[in-house]
Amino acid sequence: MWLRGISKKEYAAAAAKSVMITAAIAFLFYRSLWAVAVISPLGVLYFRRCVESAVRKKQQEFGRQFQDALQSLAAQLNIGYSMENAVKEVQRDLQTMYRKDCVIVKEFTYMVRQMNVNVTAEQSWREFAARLKLAEVDGFVTVFILAKRSGGDSIAIIKNAVRQMGDKADVKREIETVIAAKKLEFQVMAGIPFGIIAYMHVSFPEFMDALYGNLVGVCFMSGCLAMYLGAWKLGSRIVEIEV
């Protein structure tokens, strides 16, 4: 589902970045066009990483929108609406808050259409969770179904679940804010080796010539590239914290 939400423009941007990175590595590390074909798998991996990053951003954006939807849902249930009518009111609220092409608006609109043809709220929420495949959505749907089947104060249980999920979302945003600067620092540091090699090309071309066009130079630059990729992979894991 999330891959379908990525636009052609985003795919094109990811492809352009991948081509630029591949060409930069081929020139700076090997100074050869033939190297582009050899290291093209790196470009493919980087393209896939860009797509995965775009998917994560869309999921994070949906998570924030879903919290707004849950807050509205809790308010509707608090004033006495049934779950079916509460979902319909939430859908109206979301249409005033977000664009019609937003995933959250589309999903709640679809849920309302299901309920209008006598699909139960429980089944609608189950299918909603199955389509989105997100932990926070699965958590809420599980709480809703258990609360409904337990026969207790389902409204109080749902409101408590919404409050706890909101607290978790706040903590997650705080963590993301703290590590945002570190992510920027990592991106800058990841570009420094390319800058150093480019500077050496311009300032000391005769020194760099010894590293190209011979087996020893190719092996040395390949070793440097391998160490760089290993350090980049390790740094990526450090700054990508899942909450």
Side-chain angles (χ1 to χ4, degrees):
M1 171 187 173
W2 297 106
L3 287 175
R4 294 197 302 269
I6 300 177
S7 65
K8 293 181 179 179
K9 184 177 179 181
E10 290 173 312
Y11 273 118
K17 287 182 180 179
S18 302
V19 171
M20 291 175 61
I21 290 294
T22 304
I25 292 175
F27 175 74
L28 294 175
F29 284 84
Y30 300 103
R31 201 187 288 174
S32 172
L33 290 176
W34 293 104
V36 174
V38 177
I39 64 175
S40 57
L42 293 179
V44 175
L45 291 175
Y46 186 78
F47 174 79
R48 292 177 59 183
R49 183 178 179 83
C50 289
V51 173
E52 291 171 357
S53 177
V55 168
R56 283 196 299 271
K57 288 181 180 179
K58 291 184 180 298
Q59 290 175 338
Q60 290 171 355
E61 180 182 5
F62 179 85
R64 291 188 289 268
Q65 296 170 353
F66 186 60
Q67 288 301 318
D68 292 335
L70 290 184
Q71 294 295 335
S72 176
L73 180 67
Q76 305 302 333
L77 293 173
N78 194 43
I79 61 178
Y81 281 111
S82 65
M83 177 57 76
E84 288 79 2
N85 290 330
V87 169
K88 294 178 182 179
E89 292 299 321
V90 171
Q91 188 256 355
R92 295 191 185 97
D93 290 343
L94 292 174
Q95 285 182 327
T96 63
M97 297 168 62
Y98 301 107
R99 303 187 311 274
K100 291 184 178 180
D101 60 344
C102 284
V103 176
I104 191 70
V105 176
K106 290 181 179 179
E107 288 296 330
F108 269 80
T109 300
Y110 181 69
M111 288 177 65
V112 169
R113 290 174 181 171
Q114 286 183 302
M115 294 177 186
N116 286 337
V117 293
N118 296 324
V119 177
T120 64
E122 181 177 338
Q123 182 62 27
S124 297
W125 278 110
R126 280 182 179 275
E127 294 180 7
F128 178 82
R131 289 192 301 272
L132 275 302
K133 295 184 173 67
L134 293 177
E136 53 263 46
V137 177
D138 290 338
F140 172 77
V141 173
T142 300
V143 170
F144 165 64
I145 293 174
L146 292 176
K148 185 175 181 180
R149 292 180 178 179
S150 67
D153 190 349
S154 59
I155 294 179
I157 294 173
I158 292 173
K159 286 175 61 179
N160 183 59
V162 170
R163 185 180 68 255
Q164 292 182 359
M165 293 176 66
D167 293 341
K168 180 180 178 180
D170 291 338
V171 172
K172 187 175 182 178
R173 280 193 292 268
E174 290 177 3
I175 293 176
E176 290 174 351
T177 301
V178 170
I179 66 175
K182 298 301 179 182
K183 287 184 177 180
L184 179 59
E185 291 176 8
F186 171 72
Q187 292 173 357
V188 173
M189 292 176 64
I192 288 178
F194 291 92
I196 293 175
I197 297 175
Y199 172 76
M200 295 292 290
H201 269 285
V202 175
S203 302
F204 307 100
E206 65 284 353
F207 175 77
M208 297 296 292
D209 287 342
L211 297 174
Y212 302 101
N214 59 82
L215 181 60
V216 175
V218 170
C219 292
F220 178 80
M221 295 303 286
S222 296
C224 292
L225 178 60
M227 288 189 292
Y228 169 79
L229 293 176
W232 179 79
K233 182 65 175 179
L234 178 61
S236 298
R237 291 185 176 180
I238 292 174
V239 298
E240 291 178 358
I241 300 175
E242 293 292 336
V243 182

